[in-house]
Amino acid sequence: VDGYNLMHAVVAMSGKLPPDALRKLRHRFLNELAHRLGTLEAAQTTVVFDAHDPPAHLPRESRHKGMTIVFAASVD
């Protein structure tokens, strides 16, 4: 799943957000996605957040409610 594209499609966002606001939106989005997928599908889902500047304080790969979460640096 392309995390930021889906998140922008379902969450009304405009302009650049402060880092903490983006973190909270991303967390809420992941919680809702996991809930809608259910336990089995969530365990089979990878969400990739690509950005020019991925969060340096977060691991490149982690788990959230069964889903695999990946932060990738996009290249122009």
Side-chain angles (χ1 to χ4, degrees), residues 1-6 29-30 33 45-51 60 68-73:
V1 174
D2 185 327
Y4 284 131
N5 280 343
L6 183 56
F29 165 74
L30 289 172
L33 181 60
T45 300
T46 299
V47 180
V48 178
F49 291 104
D50 61 336
R60 183 186 167 293
T68 300
I69 309 303
V70 176
F71 285 92

Side-chain angles (χ1 to χ4, degrees), residues 52-73:
H52 290 287
D53 236 353
H57 65 285
L58 295 175
R60 183 186 167 293
E61 187 172 313
S62 63
R63 306 275 303 165
H64 183 87
K65 298 194 175 198
M67 300 180 295
T68 300
I69 309 303
V70 176
F71 285 92

Side-chain angles (χ1 to χ4, degrees), residues 3-57:
Y4 284 131
N5 280 343
L6 183 56
M7 191 169 90
H8 284 279
V10 297
V11 177
M13 296 172 32
S14 62
K16 188 164 175 84
L17 298 171
D20 196 48
L22 180 57
R23 180 192 61 79
K24 289 176 182 177
L25 280 171
R26 196 171 43 232
H27 187 77
R28 190 169 67 214
F29 165 74
L30 289 172
N31 284 342
E32 182 64 24
L33 181 60
H35 173 75
R36 289 178 181 266
L37 289 172
T39 304
L40 187 58
E41 280 189 307
Q44 299 171 355
T45 300
T46 299
V47 180
V48 178
F49 291 104
D50 61 336
H52 290 287
D53 236 353
H57 65 285

